[in-house]
Amino acid sequence: MTMKYVATTCPYCGTGCSFNLVVQNGKVIGTAPYQRSPVNEGKVCPKGTYAHEFVNREDRLTKPLIKKNGTFEEATWDEAYDLIAEKFKSYKPDECAVLSSARTSNEENYALMKFARGALKTRHIDHCARLCHASTVAGLAASFGSGAMTNSIGDIAESKCLFILGSNTFEQHPLIGRRVAQAKKAGAKIIYADPRYTATGKQADLYMQFVSGSDVAILNGLMQEIIKNGWEDTEFLKNRVKGYEELKATVMKEDYSLENVSKISGIPVEQLKTAAEWIGTAESAAILYSMGITQHTVGVDNVKSIANLQMLTGNLGRPGTGVNALRGQNNVQGACDMGALPVVFTGYQKVIDEAAHKKFADAWGFPDGISEPKNGYEVTVMMDVLTDNPGELKCMYIMGENPMLSDPDLTHVEHAIKNLEFLVVQDIFMTETAELADVVLPAACYAEKDGTQTSTERRVQMWRKAQDPPGEAKDDWKIIAEIAAKMGYADQFAWETAEDIFNEIAAVTPSYHGMNYERLNRPEALHWPCPAEDHPGTPILHGAKFAHPDGFGVMHAIDWKPPAEVPDAEYPYVFTTGRILFHWHTGTMTRRSATLDNEVPTGWIEINPEDAKDLGIKDGETVKASSRRGSIIVPARVTKDIMKGVMFMPFHFKECAANILTNNALDPIAKIPEFKACAVKVEKITEA
Ligand code: SF4
């Protein structure tokens, strides 16, 4: 018997914890603590603890599948590649769309981005960051010149005041929650605002329950109170930012008096006053936020408002401060960094910038050029185009994503995907989306390959191969390179290892220039930007100046707008969605983990006891929940943890898919959908 430990990085949330995979006779059989990671210091949450359980499941995809007469049949790789290459070559560039994946490595996202732009020559590439933090990328880029978490996870513990808004940190990012607990133990004040009294709320010194969709009003109200009391940082405002007078004119309006904000948000005036005082007078104050902020039709406004508050109080560029956007998936930061977006190449180099376009065209050397220097479609727009203008988009290549469960208004998504002429899905399991594909390609999972991923704190960390993939499954990047070779582009994808790809990434990406596997292959790894091989990396952004060319931060005067769909007589409740401790996204992996699935085997809808009484619904009873887009049957959980008038559902469960109900109304800039607020009704199911 042989046994070894292989240190790797967790494939679930964006925290980037490390652990050891325990390998016996060539198979992953467990996990064990890896004490040397500065991120989690040997601790992991339940998802990390059981991250081995899905790896050797019997239902892993092991052979390429081609659909014939509506049924999948096993095929050879050559048969699958020949079909894909022939089909892809038959379409015009703008008829093709590509979805990359925040679950795969940087190298694989880069490979697919290069494949999309160089082999397919399409502008239409995106991935699920569109659904979680597209507003962060756009909002923080406009405010600070860089669309990423400003500080690092470790220095959250040093803060004297933490304002957590739209993030259930203790369940979604438990090992970041640990830093919050450390800060609290050291005397920090913890403010938590959320429509649900979650595990995070239970840690707070001040819990403010509010109506989903009132964030800008709350933030403007807090800023008004801070300015009225003279708690703003005048030196910071004078020396570091632009736009203060315009911001002040907006937030000082009567609309944002604490009395008015209380009416909009439901938060008592006294609580708002306390929050403003704690934030305004703290030696250091940090904001932690997640999708409660971003997943709105005003997602970009919400993010800019958070940036405004931190600039107003001078809480940037120091330990314990910052705008800490907690990214959802393990590599959503990296997938964005790698240019798996319709507007940028790697490192946010704009595709419409002539010099950047030429740089990539020259570096890649495709003899017949690359995609046009024009922005492409976001995934949400792709779905609308597919339904509203059939025939414009004809084929799609999806790597490791499951829009049939993750995207809003699933009936609309199904309609869109069924309008495709040709769909290729590359994944580790037969997902709800893969079932609709023409060709399914079996991929290796995180435990079966080398590579890197970039966590929410911009830390680029290694995956290390612990076992071989099952059957004929292959690394995603190898599959991409082999399809490219079939299409006549072998030279452009002639990588032998993931490290070869990383070296190419570092060469074309200024913020990764100074990185290589030798430097990353240590517990602390490196935070970008790391522009040179002797640069130590950058755990805290915006220390002396912001990333805008003139070095200034930009404040934006923003007025509050209600959500796209608000309750009315027919659909009288606000509906919001979220995640839970034991499951992750569409459950492709966690629901195949026996331990995690035993803990929470199905979904539910949370109803306040007063609402339940009005509706005649008892705890545990099965109810019908409906929005203008569809209905689902789901067990009711009656709890005072949810605000009266608001209903909540986790979105991981296909048998009661919350996204049947959600609204695909989009933020006009980020094109992120409004998962966090729509209108629903809930009915008792009466026996026929
Ligand atoms: Fe994995 Fe996130 Fe849990 Fe850490 S906190 S073990 S990264 S799921």
Side-chain angles (χ1 to χ4, degrees):
M1 184 176 81
T2 61
M3 180 90 109
K4 64 176 178 178
Y5 278 15
V6 178
T8 196
T9 313
C10 181
Y12 288 119
C13 88
T15 305
C17 299
S18 295
F19 51 71
N20 282 304
L21 285 169
V22 182
V23 185
Q24 188 182 67
N25 295 335
K27 288 277 175 214
V28 168
I29 58 155
T31 63
Y34 175 75
Q35 308 285 355
R36 294 171 65 204
S37 164
V39 178
N40 58 311
E41 298 170 320
K43 315 275 189 299
V44 280
C45 78
K47 288 191 282 287
T49 306
Y50 300 105
H52 61 287
E53 285 192 350
F54 70 85
V55 172
N56 289 309
R57 284 266 311 202
E58 281 187 357
D59 56 345
R60 282 285 304 272
L61 291 168
T62 56
K63 282 182 93 64
L65 303 170
I66 296 176
K67 197 177 267 170
K68 292 180 181 158
N69 302 319
T71 309
F72 284 118
E73 292 181 13
E74 290 186 353
T76 65
W77 277 106
D78 267 340
E79 285 165 346
Y81 287 157
D82 286 341
L83 175 62
I84 293 167
E86 182 200 319
K87 283 283 191 184
F88 281 174
K89 282 199 283 190
S90 73
Y91 294 114
K92 297 189 189 114
D94 277 355
E95 293 173 342
C96 303
V98 171
L99 297 187
S100 198
S101 173
R103 297 189 298 180
T104 59
S105 67
N106 286 325
E107 292 77 358
E108 288 161 335
N109 276 282
Y110 177 81
L112 192 56
M113 187 274 290
K114 183 175 178 179
F115 178 85
R117 298 194 180 286
L120 296 178
K121 313 205 188 296
T122 181
R123 303 173 282 134
H124 308 313
I125 172 165
D126 203 6
H127 75 287
C128 66
R130 186 67 45 205
L131 308 176
C132 61
H133 272 284
S135 330
T136 293
V137 176
L140 294 189
S143 296
F144 303 149
S146 168
M149 177 166 165
T150 62
N151 285 52
S152 59
I153 292 169
D155 76 44
I156 290 170
E158 296 183 39
S159 185
K160 300 296 177 210
C161 177
L162 293 170
F163 181 20
I164 307 173
L165 176 63
S167 157
N168 180 5
T169 316
F170 279 74
E171 289 201 71
Q172 267 86 71
H173 299 88
L175 270 294
I176 295 179
R178 178 172 172 257
R179 300 298 184 179
V180 175
Q182 288 172 343
K184 184 178 162 89
K185 202 168 167 203
K189 301 276 195 209
I190 313 296
I191 306 164
Y192 181 60
D194 198 291
R196 293 174 72 220
Y197 185 55
T198 63
T200 309
K202 289 170 186 129
Q203 303 292 326
D205 298 291
L206 172 63
Y207 168 55
M208 305 192 294
Q209 195 167 46
F210 74 98
V211 181
S212 186
S214 53
D215 309 79
V216 167
I218 296 166
L219 290 158
N220 281 354
L222 295 176
M223 285 189 268
Q224 183 181 112
E225 185 69 6
I226 286 167
I227 293 168
K228 274 184 178 166
N229 285 283
W231 294 324
E232 73 274 26
D233 186 332
T234 46
E235 279 301 298
F236 196 90
L237 292 170
K238 196 168 109 204
N239 299 324
R240 299 285 312 269
V241 306
K242 298 193 295 197
Y244 175 56
E245 290 308 322
E246 294 82 351
L247 172 96
K248 187 174 173 186
T250 295
V251 303
M252 295 309 285
K253 290 193 292 197
E254 181 57 21
D255 300 6
Y256 305 114
S257 68
L258 294 191
E259 290 70 24
N260 280 333
V261 171
S262 180
K263 278 185 205 140
I264 296 168
S265 66
I267 303 174
V269 169
E270 280 312 308
Q271 290 187 359
L272 290 163
K273 270 193 179 162
T274 304
E277 183 178 348
W278 287 0
I279 295 165
T281 60
E283 192 186 308
S284 57
I287 293 191
L288 275 55
Y289 76 86
S290 192
M291 282 160 250
I293 281 293
T294 58
Q295 290 178 332
H296 285 283
T297 45
V298 293
V300 174
D301 283 354
N302 286 348
V303 172
K304 286 177 179 170
S305 296
I306 283 176
N308 285 340
L309 175 60
Q310 293 305 81
M311 287 188 275
L312 180 70
T313 52
N315 275 306
L316 285 156
R318 293 179 283 125
T321 68
V323 174
N324 297 295
L326 307 183
R327 313 282 313 235
Q329 304 206 47
N330 57 325
N331 197 31
V332 70
Q333 182 66 55
C336 292
D337 297 348
M338 294 303 108
L341 295 168
V343 296
V344 287
F345 296 105
T346 65
Y348 308 94
Q349 300 169 81
K350 291 188 168 76
V351 295
I352 56 169
D353 180 283
E354 224 174 271
H357 189 268
K358 182 171 183 321
K359 168 182 164 177
F360 279 86
D362 290 351
W364 288 343
F366 287 91
D368 46 356
I370 64 171
S371 56
E372 290 179 280
K374 286 184 187 168
N375 294 336
Y377 290 148
E378 298 83 1
V379 55
T380 42
V381 175
M382 289 175 198
M383 297 301 167
D384 288 345
V385 168
L386 278 164
T387 50
D388 300 347
N389 194 15
E392 185 183 333
L393 288 175
K394 292 187 173 145
C395 78
M396 192 176 275
Y397 185 2
I398 301 179
M399 172 175 75
E401 294 228 331
N402 189 12
M404 275 301 298
L405 210 48
S406 62
D407 289 23
D409 190 357
L410 291 179
T411 311
H412 171 72
V413 175
E414 184 174 4
H415 182 194
I417 289 180
K418 284 184 171 169
N419 275 352
L420 286 164
E421 284 181 12
F422 186 64
L423 172 63
V424 178
V425 173
Q426 184 168 307
D427 214 311
I428 60 174
F429 291 109
M430 181 62 78
T431 64
E432 291 73 19
T433 306
E435 279 167 11
L436 299 180
D438 297 285
V439 183
V440 175
L441 303 175
C445 79
Y446 81 102
E448 296 153 356
K449 55 193 173 188
D450 294 328
T452 60
Q453 66 174 44
T454 305
S455 73
T456 187
E457 58 173 345
R458 298 169 283 102
R459 196 191 292 263
V460 184
Q461 297 166 282
M462 303 287 303
W463 279 348
R464 298 176 187 88
K465 180 173 174 172
Q467 69 165 47
D468 288 330
E472 297 178 21
K474 300 184 188 192
D475 290 12
D476 288 280
W477 69 263
K478 282 188 187 149
I479 301 171
I480 295 161
E482 286 169 4
I483 297 172
K486 285 275 182 187
M487 292 177 71
Y489 301 114
D491 291 349
Q492 287 73 26
F493 293 83
W495 305 304
E496 305 247 313
T497 62
E499 186 173 5
D500 293 342
I501 307 176
F502 191 87
N503 291 338
E504 185 174 319
I505 294 166
V508 293
T509 312
S511 52
Y512 282 63
H513 267 343
M515 297 185 189
N516 54 50
Y517 270 25
E518 193 187 334
R519 295 194 73 197
L520 296 177
N521 203 5
R522 25 182 216 194
E524 65 278 17
L526 284 164
H527 297 262
W528 68 253
C530 177
E533 287 200 2
D534 57 356
H535 191 284
T538 313
I540 301 179
L541 297 176
H542 315 311
K545 56 184 182 145
F546 288 97
H548 284 303
D550 63 5
F552 283 91
V554 179
M555 290 181 134
H556 297 89
I558 293 165
D559 276 307
W560 172 73
K561 294 189 232 29
E565 187 178 72
V566 293
D568 56 17
E570 195 181 357
Y571 295 96
Y573 299 100
V574 175
F575 180 68
T576 187
T577 64
R579 296 168 289 160
I580 60 171
L581 177 63
F582 292 98
H583 285 292
W584 193 68
H585 292 268
T586 66
T588 309
M589 299 187 290
T590 53
R591 296 202 74 195
R592 286 180 171 86
S593 163
T595 310
L596 298 174
D597 206 43
N598 273 345
E599 286 287 345
V600 185
T602 194
W604 66 87
I605 186 163
E606 283 181 16
I607 305 177
N608 180 276
E610 287 183 49
D611 294 328
K613 193 170 165 212
D614 292 346
L615 294 164
I617 289 168
K618 294 193 185 63
D619 186 39
E621 184 176 341
T622 302
V623 299
K624 182 178 175 188
S626 310
S627 73
R628 287 183 176 81
R629 292 154 292 281
S631 297
I632 52 172
I633 304 297
V634 57
R637 183 177 288 182
V638 177
T639 169
K640 59 180 173 28
D641 288 350
I642 187 79
M643 190 173 193
K644 179 171 160 32
V646 181
M647 308 273 179
F648 164 86
M649 275 186 72
F651 72 89
H652 315 288
F653 303 95
K654 64 179 175 186
E655 65 278 17
C656 46
N659 282 325
I660 296 270
L661 308 179
T662 49
N663 191 358
N664 66 351
L666 303 179
D667 179 287
I669 297 166
K671 301 289 195 281
I672 191 169
E674 192 149 56
F675 287 105
K676 289 293 188 272
C678 70
V680 295
K681 63 180 171 189
V682 173
E683 298 161 278
K684 195 174 173 68
I685 299 174
T686 45
E687 303 267 325

PDB file of all heavy atoms in Angstrom, residues 94 117 121-123 351 357 370-375:
ATOM      1  N   ASP A  94     -19.124  35.400 -35.371  1.00  0.00           N
ATOM      2  CA  ASP A  94     -20.109  35.966 -34.440  1.00  0.00           C
ATOM      3  C   ASP A  94     -21.326  35.074 -34.230  1.00  0.00           C
ATOM      4  O   ASP A  94     -22.247  35.439 -33.488  1.00  0.00           O
ATOM      5  CB  ASP A  94     -20.536  37.366 -34.898  1.00  0.00           C
ATOM      6  CG  ASP A  94     -19.528  38.396 -34.434  1.00  0.00           C
ATOM      7  OD1 ASP A  94     -18.596  38.013 -33.706  1.00  0.00           O
ATOM      8  OD2 ASP A  94     -19.660  39.577 -34.802  1.00  0.00           O
ATOM      9  N   ARG A 117     -11.012  33.632 -29.045  1.00  0.00           N
ATOM     10  CA  ARG A 117     -10.624  34.802 -29.828  1.00  0.00           C
ATOM     11  C   ARG A 117      -9.737  34.447 -31.025  1.00  0.00           C
ATOM     12  O   ARG A 117      -9.765  35.127 -32.043  1.00  0.00           O
ATOM     13  CB  ARG A 117      -9.901  35.814 -28.943  1.00  0.00           C
ATOM     14  CG  ARG A 117     -10.780  36.352 -27.813  1.00  0.00           C
ATOM     15  CD  ARG A 117     -10.172  37.584 -27.159  1.00  0.00           C
ATOM     16  NE  ARG A 117     -11.025  38.064 -26.084  1.00  0.00           N
ATOM     17  CZ  ARG A 117     -12.177  38.713 -26.260  1.00  0.00           C
ATOM     18  NH1 ARG A 117     -12.597  38.984 -27.489  1.00  0.00           N
ATOM     19  NH2 ARG A 117     -12.893  39.102 -25.233  1.00  0.00           N
ATOM     20  N   LYS A 121     -12.504  32.914 -33.374  1.00  0.00           N
ATOM     21  CA  LYS A 121     -12.478  34.346 -33.748  1.00  0.00           C
ATOM     22  C   LYS A 121     -13.766  35.060 -33.338  1.00  0.00           C
ATOM     23  O   LYS A 121     -14.212  36.001 -33.980  1.00  0.00           O
ATOM     24  CB  LYS A 121     -12.202  34.521 -35.253  1.00  0.00           C
ATOM     25  CG  LYS A 121     -11.038  33.662 -35.699  1.00  0.00           C
ATOM     26  CD  LYS A 121     -10.322  34.130 -36.882  1.00  0.00           C
ATOM     27  CE  LYS A 121      -9.302  33.085 -37.335  1.00  0.00           C
ATOM     28  NZ  LYS A 121      -8.230  32.844 -36.347  1.00  0.00           N
ATOM     29  N   THR A 122     -14.350  34.572 -32.252  1.00  0.00           N
ATOM     30  CA  THR A 122     -15.571  35.211 -31.768  1.00  0.00           C
ATOM     31  C   THR A 122     -15.264  36.225 -30.662  1.00  0.00           C
ATOM     32  O   THR A 122     -14.291  36.074 -29.917  1.00  0.00           O
ATOM     33  CB  THR A 122     -16.578  34.171 -31.234  1.00  0.00           C
ATOM     34  OG1 THR A 122     -17.743  34.862 -30.796  1.00  0.00           O
ATOM     35  CG2 THR A 122     -16.021  33.359 -30.063  1.00  0.00           C
ATOM     36  N   ARG A 123     -16.136  37.229 -30.567  1.00  0.00           N
ATOM     37  CA  ARG A 123     -16.036  38.233 -29.496  1.00  0.00           C
ATOM     38  C   ARG A 123     -16.835  37.786 -28.281  1.00  0.00           C
ATOM     39  O   ARG A 123     -16.762  38.398 -27.229  1.00  0.00           O
ATOM     40  CB  ARG A 123     -16.649  39.562 -29.958  1.00  0.00           C
ATOM     41  CG  ARG A 123     -16.062  40.127 -31.206  1.00  0.00           C
ATOM     42  CD  ARG A 123     -16.853  41.348 -31.646  1.00  0.00           C
ATOM     43  NE  ARG A 123     -18.099  41.019 -32.302  1.00  0.00           N
ATOM     44  CZ  ARG A 123     -19.265  41.594 -32.034  1.00  0.00           C
ATOM     45  NH1 ARG A 123     -19.355  42.510 -31.091  1.00  0.00           N
ATOM     46  NH2 ARG A 123     -20.352  41.249 -32.684  1.00  0.00           N
ATOM     47  N   VAL A 351     -10.268  44.930 -25.166  1.00  0.00           N
ATOM     48  CA  VAL A 351     -10.235  44.404 -26.540  1.00  0.00           C
ATOM     49  C   VAL A 351     -10.437  45.520 -27.563  1.00  0.00           C
ATOM     50  O   VAL A 351     -10.010  45.397 -28.716  1.00  0.00           O
ATOM     51  CB  VAL A 351     -11.288  43.293 -26.790  1.00  0.00           C
ATOM     52  CG1 VAL A 351     -11.009  42.073 -25.967  1.00  0.00           C
ATOM     53  CG2 VAL A 351     -12.704  43.761 -26.561  1.00  0.00           C
ATOM     54  N   HIS A 357      -5.084  45.027 -28.680  1.00  0.00           N
ATOM     55  CA  HIS A 357      -5.502  44.067 -29.701  1.00  0.00           C
ATOM     56  C   HIS A 357      -4.307  43.614 -30.532  1.00  0.00           C
ATOM     57  O   HIS A 357      -4.102  42.413 -30.778  1.00  0.00           O
ATOM     58  CB  HIS A 357      -6.585  44.706 -30.577  1.00  0.00           C
ATOM     59  CG  HIS A 357      -7.233  43.742 -31.515  1.00  0.00           C
ATOM     60  ND1 HIS A 357      -6.773  43.539 -32.796  1.00  0.00           N
ATOM     61  CD2 HIS A 357      -8.280  42.894 -31.355  1.00  0.00           C
ATOM     62  CE1 HIS A 357      -7.522  42.621 -33.386  1.00  0.00           C
ATOM     63  NE2 HIS A 357      -8.445  42.218 -32.527  1.00  0.00           N
ATOM     64  N   ILE A 370      -7.230  37.374 -35.337  1.00  0.00           N
ATOM     65  CA  ILE A 370      -8.051  37.046 -34.167  1.00  0.00           C
ATOM     66  C   ILE A 370      -9.369  37.808 -34.258  1.00  0.00           C
ATOM     67  O   ILE A 370      -9.617  38.521 -35.229  1.00  0.00           O
ATOM     68  CB  ILE A 370      -7.318  37.359 -32.844  1.00  0.00           C
ATOM     69  CG1 ILE A 370      -7.045  38.872 -32.692  1.00  0.00           C
ATOM     70  CG2 ILE A 370      -6.021  36.585 -32.762  1.00  0.00           C
ATOM     71  CD1 ILE A 370      -6.533  39.262 -31.313  1.00  0.00           C
ATOM     72  N   SER A 371     -10.214  37.652 -33.230  1.00  0.00           N
ATOM     73  CA  SER A 371     -11.532  38.302 -33.237  1.00  0.00           C
ATOM     74  C   SER A 371     -11.382  39.820 -33.381  1.00  0.00           C
ATOM     75  O   SER A 371     -10.356  40.401 -33.022  1.00  0.00           O
ATOM     76  CB  SER A 371     -12.278  37.982 -31.942  1.00  0.00           C
ATOM     77  OG  SER A 371     -11.497  38.378 -30.827  1.00  0.00           O
ATOM     78  N   GLU A 372     -12.432  40.442 -33.880  1.00  0.00           N
ATOM     79  CA  GLU A 372     -12.411  41.894 -34.102  1.00  0.00           C
ATOM     80  C   GLU A 372     -12.199  42.647 -32.782  1.00  0.00           C
ATOM     81  O   GLU A 372     -12.601  42.164 -31.732  1.00  0.00           O
ATOM     82  CB  GLU A 372     -13.774  42.346 -34.615  1.00  0.00           C
ATOM     83  CG  GLU A 372     -14.114  41.919 -36.010  1.00  0.00           C
ATOM     84  CD  GLU A 372     -15.504  42.440 -36.342  1.00  0.00           C
ATOM     85  OE1 GLU A 372     -16.483  41.805 -35.912  1.00  0.00           O
ATOM     86  OE2 GLU A 372     -15.594  43.494 -36.978  1.00  0.00           O
ATOM     87  N   PRO A 373     -11.650  43.861 -32.866  1.00  0.00           N
ATOM     88  CA  PRO A 373     -11.474  44.649 -31.632  1.00  0.00           C
ATOM     89  C   PRO A 373     -12.776  45.318 -31.194  1.00  0.00           C
ATOM     90  O   PRO A 373     -12.887  46.541 -31.124  1.00  0.00           O
ATOM     91  CB  PRO A 373     -10.414  45.679 -32.037  1.00  0.00           C
ATOM     92  CG  PRO A 373     -10.540  45.810 -33.512  1.00  0.00           C
ATOM     93  CD  PRO A 373     -11.042  44.507 -34.037  1.00  0.00           C
ATOM     94  N   LYS A 374     -13.775  44.494 -30.943  1.00  0.00           N
ATOM     95  CA  LYS A 374     -15.083  44.985 -30.508  1.00  0.00           C
ATOM     96  C   LYS A 374     -15.536  44.171 -29.305  1.00  0.00           C
ATOM     97  O   LYS A 374     -15.250  42.971 -29.226  1.00  0.00           O
ATOM     98  CB  LYS A 374     -16.136  44.748 -31.603  1.00  0.00           C
ATOM     99  CG  LYS A 374     -16.068  45.652 -32.782  1.00  0.00           C
ATOM    100  CD  LYS A 374     -17.265  45.270 -33.650  1.00  0.00           C
ATOM    101  CE  LYS A 374     -17.248  45.980 -34.978  1.00  0.00           C
ATOM    102  NZ  LYS A 374     -18.228  45.391 -35.898  1.00  0.00           N
ATOM    103  N   ASN A 375     -16.318  44.798 -28.431  1.00  0.00           N
ATOM    104  CA  ASN A 375     -16.854  44.063 -27.284  1.00  0.00           C
ATOM    105  C   ASN A 375     -17.859  43.006 -27.742  1.00  0.00           C
ATOM    106  O   ASN A 375     -18.569  43.209 -28.729  1.00  0.00           O
ATOM    107  CB  ASN A 375     -17.537  45.018 -26.310  1.00  0.00           C
ATOM    108  CG  ASN A 375     -16.535  45.968 -25.660  1.00  0.00           C
ATOM    109  OD1 ASN A 375     -15.348  45.657 -25.579  1.00  0.00           O
ATOM    110  ND2 ASN A 375     -17.008  47.117 -25.220  1.00  0.00           N
TER     111      ASN A 375
END
